[in-house]
């Protein structure tokens, strides 16, 4: 018996990084996992890799979390194929750590908020009708939402919005058997590293008490905890998986 036997899981932005690692761990724990991404080639490659290890455990759906119609299509597919969602990991997110306030534009603000804030809200809202008793939702935030990392004005604020989401929804849902929690990664060694200037990475790692970046597998095991019944009395909380980055 594994932790997610027979569960239906949806992971947005699951074609690389910590979400792909989580999809593999979910599949290894008995779940059928839907993963999304914008790029079809990357999506197909991720599905093929997961299917090779866990045949029949994965469905890929091309969907941009910044496009509401894509999210409608995603959950229509899940409804038709499985009729329910037990676990939702809303991980898709974008943003820059090298955009000082003077360089922020209306367009850059709207682009990040459309994916990270509106996209996360609509992902949860559209999943809700498919979620029954025992459902668990995990949002992906960032340790940067509580640390003043220079250059992260828009990104950090967009992730800070998720801190409110988990608290308000936990209050709105009351005793309903449905949970939502926020996982805040610190600096994690994913493809994102290739898109951030080396100097910025070095500066961030210097601020991590653990003295290194985290691994995608270290996020995946924490998401599995929040997704599974191991955490069934954990609601509206924030779990920082950050080597101490946002704690000191
Ligand atoms: N790595 C870190 O240090 C770190 C720290 C704190 C928080 N985070 C957050 O963790 C999440 C994942 O980060 P990561 O480092 O694992 O990233 P990653 O390796 O770059 O992977 C991002 C994934 O999200 C997908 N994606 C991007 N925009 C999307 C959109 N609009 N709709 C659907 N899918 C989308 C990408 O595929 P496509 O490009 O094909 O869409 C890819 O599968 C993000 O929310 C990020 O903000 C990362």
């Amino acid at each position: 018996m594994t932790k997610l036997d027979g569960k239906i899981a949806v992971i947005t932005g699951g074609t690389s990084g910590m979400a792909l690692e989580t999809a593999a761990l979910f599949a290894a724990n008995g779940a059928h996992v839907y993963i999304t991404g914008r790029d079809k080639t990357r999506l197909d490659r991720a599905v093929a890799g997961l299917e090779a290890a866990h045949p029949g455990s994965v469905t890929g759906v091309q969907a941009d979390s910044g496009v509401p119609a894509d999210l409608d299509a995603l959950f229509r597919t899940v409804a038709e194929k499985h009729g329910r969602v037990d676990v939702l990991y809303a991980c898709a997110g974008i943003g820059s750590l090298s955009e000082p306030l003077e360089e922020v534009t209306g367009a850059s603000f709207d682009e990040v908020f459309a994916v990270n804030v509106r996209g996360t809200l609509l992902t949860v809202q559209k999943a809700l009708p498919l979620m029954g008793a025992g459902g668990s939702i995990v949002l992906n935030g960032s340790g940067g939402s509580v640390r003043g990392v220079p250059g992260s004005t828009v990104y950090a604020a967009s992730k800070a919005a998720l801190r409110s989401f988990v608290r308000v929804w936990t209050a709105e849902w009351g005793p309903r058997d449905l949970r939502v929690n926020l996982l805040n990664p610190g600096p994690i060694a994913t493809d994102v590293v290739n898109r951030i200037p080396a100097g910025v990475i070095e500066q961030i790692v210097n601020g991590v008490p653990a003295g290194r970046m985290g691994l995608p597998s270290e996020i995946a095991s924490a998401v599995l905890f929040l997704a599974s019944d191991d955490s069934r009395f954990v609601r509206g909380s924030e779990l920082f998986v950050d080597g101490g980055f946002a704690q000191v």
Side-chain angles (χ1 to χ4, degrees):
M1 181 84 174
T2 46
K3 289 182 187 290
L4 298 178
D5 269 342
K7 302 278 190 191
I8 306 303
V10 174
I11 299 180
T12 62
T15 64
S16 69
M18 60 189 81
L20 177 58
E21 192 81 20
T22 303
L25 187 61
F26 278 12
N29 275 272
H32 185 92
V33 188
Y34 286 80
I35 60 169
T36 72
R38 296 164 299 182
D39 184 278
K40 179 83 166 71
T41 307
R42 281 155 54 89
L43 179 66
D44 290 346
R45 197 185 315 131
V47 169
L50 291 166
E51 278 286 311
H54 308 287
S57 67
V58 181
T59 303
V61 179
Q62 189 177 8
D64 183 336
S65 292
V67 178
D70 282 10
L71 294 172
D72 283 327
L74 165 65
F75 289 106
R76 218 168 25 244
T77 303
V78 180
E80 284 165 10
K81 211 170 154 186
H82 284 102
R84 67 176 209 280
V85 175
D86 300 304
V87 173
L88 173 65
Y89 177 31
C91 187
I94 57 172
S96 171
L97 297 183
S98 46
E99 186 186 43
L101 175 60
E102 293 82 353
E103 292 174 20
V104 174
T105 64
S108 68
F109 178 93
D110 287 348
E111 188 187 4
V112 171
F113 270 66
V115 175
N116 295 7
V117 183
R118 188 186 67 193
T120 302
L121 183 152
L122 292 180
T123 297
V124 174
Q125 188 190 60
K126 291 171 194 300
L128 275 186
L130 296 175
M131 298 200 73
S136 178
I137 299 171
V138 182
L139 309 186
N140 212 64
S142 170
S145 63
V146 298
R147 280 280 300 261
V149 178
S152 71
T153 295
V154 174
Y155 175 72
S158 72
K159 293 295 190 178
L162 310 189
R163 307 184 73 208
S164 298
F165 285 173
V166 298
R167 289 169 170 86
V168 173
W169 297 341
T170 296
E172 285 187 359
W173 298 341
R176 181 178 169 184
D177 192 6
L178 175 65
R179 308 184 289 118
V180 60
N181 291 287
L182 178 64
L183 186 144
N184 289 321
I188 306 299
T190 65
D191 287 353
V192 98
V193 175
N194 306 323
R195 300 191 295 266
I196 298 176
V200 175
I201 298 273
E202 196 185 327
Q203 193 187 343
I204 292 172
V205 170
N206 283 342
V208 180
R212 64 170 176 86
M213 298 191 84
L215 304 172
S217 60
E218 291 171 323
I219 299 299
S221 55
V223 183
L224 178 62
F225 167 70
L226 291 174
S228 75
D229 282 348
D230 284 351
S231 61
R232 62 183 172 274
F233 202 53
V234 182
R235 292 183 179 211
S237 76
E238 294 186 61
L239 177 57
F240 287 83
V241 185
D242 66 354
F245 172 69
Q247 316 310 313
V248 296

